[in-house]
Amino acid sequence: MNVNIMNVDYSTKIPNNVNLSADRQVLKALEGWHPGYIDWWQDMGPDGFQQSLVYLRTAYSVDPRGWAKFDYVRMPDYRWGILLAPQEENRVVPFGEHYGEPAWQEVPGEHRALLRRLIVIQGDTEPASVEQQRHLGKTAPSLYDMRNLFQVNVEEGRHLWAMVYLLQKYFGRDGREEADELLRRRSGDADSPRMLGAFNEKTPDWLSFFMFTYFTDRDGKMQLHSLAQSGFDPLSRTCRFMLTEEAHHMFVGETGISRVVQRTCEAMKAAGIDDPADVNRVRALGVIDLPTIQKKLNLHYSLSLDLFGSEVSTNAANAFNAGIKGRYHESQINDDHRLQNDTYPVLKLVGGEIVRVDEPALTALNMRLRDDYTQDCVKGILRWNKVISTAGYDYRLKLPHVAFHRAIGEFKDVRATPDGVLIDDATWSRRKDEWLPSRGDGDFIASLMKPVTEIGGFAPWISPPKVGIDNKPGDFEYVKIET
Ligand code: BYC
């Protein structure tokens, strides 16, 4: 069969652009995995709405100029497919000890375990996020938002398929076992949790959902960029296409928070409130006060920082040396791409103080990626602050210090304020509710989470978006709930 890599073959049960119909063994393995996936989706995917018609985009091509089409779909009928970006001719390993050698089309034997581990970790996060968000459909502030949630969910499901394809095609029996385990672990489960910390936390409300898609999906972006550099070409091609979808997830987060901030500012202005920190008066208006938004931001940013691992990591150095996981925008960096003699400044705790220490660049790769991530996060903060200043308020949202509220790495054993001042346990206990969402904050936000399902309607705590999805008008029925 002539494979057209740009267009996706929808004639097989599992849509793909990897010529699965000629790869009987892998097709069989994937078809064997499919029923378990559907069971998982029914059990752990969006709670309710499985029979609703949702206006979703589905990838029909991997051509960046036009790759998706929109239509009404019942979520269990979504065509989860295996889509790889086109193979680049003569691609070479772009970094590490194998720098300049031809990229691998098969798993390099010596790096098999390392590669499998990274693919499994990546795969584990995808279903985890769907599990964390499964109850949110019931409190969606609009059909527009509900549709975005479900879009994110089905695409995280597809990203799981992407990793399962790699495991089943390239890792034989242990790959198949790992694929089964990905359906067995559950977010937050005491016995069988998901692998990384942030993916076992709750996503209790829509503000958390927006923060998660802004901050945690952005870790996904950074990690996928690093894996897209991989010398193992199938992983690189898979991640490159995943990044195309990922952009929308972060858009949902950024615009979601922007709309919450906008609504709060409008309500404060209309009520003549001058002080955004006057929490009780603002809350009485039925909108989320800016200090509470800041606390949610503190929480989700710090949880997401933990996803970068320790600042100094031999795992990261090994993955780089092996040519398996590169740096953000590796091929655009102007250096020797081996890093044997370079250093990188790392924030560390030395004698009870936070200082910058030059470490070998190879072991500091997690820190470097985390720094790139922080820079990327700042962009949204600037946009949200623009909304606040345009409304005439002198209040700034900001990223907390990297030592604040950490469970992984250099600062996991200390307490710090959002400004990075080290404090003792007693001060932390006394003041932590000023910095992180308290039970009372959670209860207040929960009290606002009333579903709005009429066409074109929005909950009073969030502004409508500036434009619709797929250029649809404001009164478009993004989800036909009863069909
Ligand atoms: N929680 O050398 P270390 C996404 C473990 S998100 C629990 O410090 P390393 C998405 C680590 O496994 C992107 N354990 O770190 C977003 C190791 O354990 P072992 C997901 C943690 O290995 C939203 C030990 O601590 N993709 O796509 O250099 C929605 C020492 O590790 C954590 C990836 O993460 C933690 N936070 O870096 C949907 C890419 N951190 O081996 C999807 C693949 C560390 O000693 N993963 N540990 O038992 C990696 O590149 C790396 O494994 C990590 C950790 C960056 C996660």
Side-chain angles (χ1 to χ4, degrees):
M1 198 184 106
N2 187 12
V3 199
N4 182 346
I5 180 77
M6 285 295 191
N7 288 313
V8 179
D9 177 5
Y10 273 94
S11 67
T12 43
K13 186 165 176 187
I14 298 155
N16 69 92
N17 69 347
V18 292
N19 204 8
L20 265 189
S21 50
D23 199 346
R24 302 303 305 168
Q25 210 183 347
V26 177
L27 181 62
K28 226 173 112 214
L30 285 168
E31 284 179 354
W33 188 79
H34 187 259
Y37 173 81
I38 294 294
D39 285 350
W40 167 81
W41 179 268
Q42 297 280 7
D43 285 355
M44 297 311 296
D47 189 2
F49 310 99
Q50 296 280 357
Q51 288 313 309
S52 304
L53 285 168
V54 187
Y55 192 68
L56 294 175
R57 71 175 181 190
T58 304
Y60 67 91
S61 159
V62 289
D63 184 342
R65 285 164 300 176
W67 57 275
K69 67 176 193 306
F70 288 84
D71 207 348
Y72 285 106
V73 182
R74 288 190 175 84
M75 284 185 280
D77 300 334
Y78 188 77
R79 302 300 307 272
W80 284 285
I82 314 288
L83 278 69
L84 271 62
Q87 189 168 343
E88 273 173 35
E89 250 178 83
N90 305 322
R91 183 166 178 265
V92 294
V93 181
F95 57 88
E97 285 166 351
H98 303 281
Y99 178 67
E101 294 174 21
W104 306 295
Q105 299 306 325
E106 295 294 331
V107 174
E110 51 185 325
H111 306 311
R112 192 171 191 276
L114 181 62
L115 193 50
R116 193 186 68 196
R117 176 177 168 275
L118 292 182
I119 293 172
V120 167
I121 294 179
Q122 180 62 49
D124 192 68
T125 62
E126 314 290 0
S129 67
V130 176
E131 292 163 4
Q132 289 170 296
Q133 296 161 13
R134 70 182 302 260
H135 55 87
L136 291 174
K138 294 192 162 156
T139 54
S142 70
L143 293 179
Y144 165 88
D145 290 290
M146 186 190 278
R147 176 252 165 232
N148 284 349
L149 166 73
F150 295 155
Q151 183 73 63
V152 169
N153 292 161
V154 292
E155 286 175 351
E156 300 302 5
R158 203 198 68 72
H159 293 177
L160 170 61
W161 275 92
M163 292 302 124
V164 164
Y165 167 71
L166 294 177
L167 289 169
Q168 293 193 332
K169 179 160 172 71
Y170 296 99
F171 292 88
R173 183 162 165 195
D174 35 328
R176 290 194 292 280
E177 282 168 9
E178 294 283 15
D180 292 342
E181 288 297 297
L182 287 168
L183 292 178
R184 200 181 58 79
R185 287 186 287 274
R186 290 283 182 272
S187 174
D189 191 283
D191 301 323
S192 185
R194 291 294 174 182
M195 297 172 87
L196 300 179
F199 293 89
N200 289 304
E201 299 284 330
K202 287 197 158 43
T203 311
D205 53 61
W206 276 78
L207 184 54
S208 272
F209 171 66
F210 293 137
M211 292 289 175
F212 185 98
T213 42
Y214 188 77
F215 288 110
T216 308
D217 278 73
R218 192 172 305 275
D219 166 53
K221 168 184 169 182
M222 306 311 285
Q223 301 291 350
L224 288 173
H225 264 286
S226 306
L227 295 174
Q229 299 289 338
S230 185
F232 178 51
D233 206 39
L235 176 61
S236 163
R237 292 171 55 202
T238 304
C239 291
R240 270 189 277 146
F241 186 66
M242 288 163 76
L243 280 164
T244 316
E245 293 163 313
E246 199 65 38
H248 176 65
H249 306 189
M250 286 172 293
F251 162 88
V252 168
E254 183 183 323
T255 53
I257 296 167
S258 210
R259 290 161 52 212
V260 176
V261 169
Q262 169 100 39
R263 182 70 200 104
T264 300
C265 290
E266 281 166 8
M268 289 194 301
K269 242 175 137 173
I273 297 176
D274 295 328
D275 179 9
D278 196 344
V279 170
N280 291 336
R281 272 186 78 200
V282 178
R283 286 187 179 183
L285 304 173
V287 294
I288 307 174
D289 52 282
L290 299 180
T292 298
I293 295 173
Q294 177 69 58
K295 288 191 212 177
K296 281 271 195 189
L297 187 162
N298 290 348
L299 175 66
H300 288 271
Y301 176 66
S302 56
L303 288 171
S304 302
L305 289 179
D306 282 343
L307 294 171
F308 290 84
S310 304
E311 290 81 349
V312 175
S313 161
T314 46
N315 284 342
N318 291 339
F320 185 88
N321 271 334
I324 298 293
K325 184 180 173 191
R327 289 170 292 175
Y328 184 55
H329 290 163
E330 178 73 48
S331 44
Q332 292 164 29
I333 301 173
N334 192 9
D335 63 12
D336 73 352
H337 301 281
R338 292 174 189 268
L339 305 180
Q340 298 291 345
N341 304 312
D342 299 353
T343 60
Y344 188 86
V346 173
L347 274 192
K348 297 186 89 168
L349 256 190
V350 181
E353 280 190 51
I354 302 173
V355 289
R356 256 174 216 284
V357 179
D358 279 340
E359 288 284 338
L362 268 177
T363 50
L365 284 165
N366 288 345
M367 174 80 190
R368 180 181 178 128
L369 190 63
R370 201 187 73 192
D371 283 344
D372 290 336
Y373 167 78
T374 297
Q375 275 187 28
D376 212 51
C377 286
V378 168
K379 294 176 195 158
I381 306 273
L382 293 176
R383 292 206 185 106
W384 306 328
N385 283 338
K386 187 90 202 301
V387 174
I388 301 174
S389 60
T390 305
Y393 287 100
D394 182 21
Y395 186 96
R396 294 283 166 274
L397 295 168
K398 50 182 193 251
L399 293 177
H401 193 277
V402 292
F404 172 76
H405 187 239
R406 298 298 307 283
I408 299 278
E410 200 58 31
F411 305 110
K412 69 179 188 322
D413 298 323
V414 294
R415 303 291 192 187
T417 68
D419 293 329
V421 177
L422 295 175
I423 50 175
D424 59 20
D425 280 355
T427 313
W428 171 263
S429 306
R430 205 175 56 246
R431 296 195 59 190
K432 75 173 190 314
D433 284 356
E434 293 171 36
W435 303 319
L436 291 170
S438 65
R439 184 177 291 237
D441 297 329
D443 290 347
F444 169 69
I445 296 175
S447 75
L448 298 182
M449 297 293 121
K450 306 225 171 68
V452 174
T453 53
E454 66 267 16
I455 299 167
F458 283 85
W461 54 269
I462 187 165
S463 292
K466 289 201 175 71
V467 281
I469 292 295
D470 193 27
N471 285 322
K472 292 295 173 203
D475 58 355
F476 185 70
E477 191 174 12
Y478 288 101
V479 184
K480 295 183 192 219
I481 294 178
E482 309 288 347
T483 56

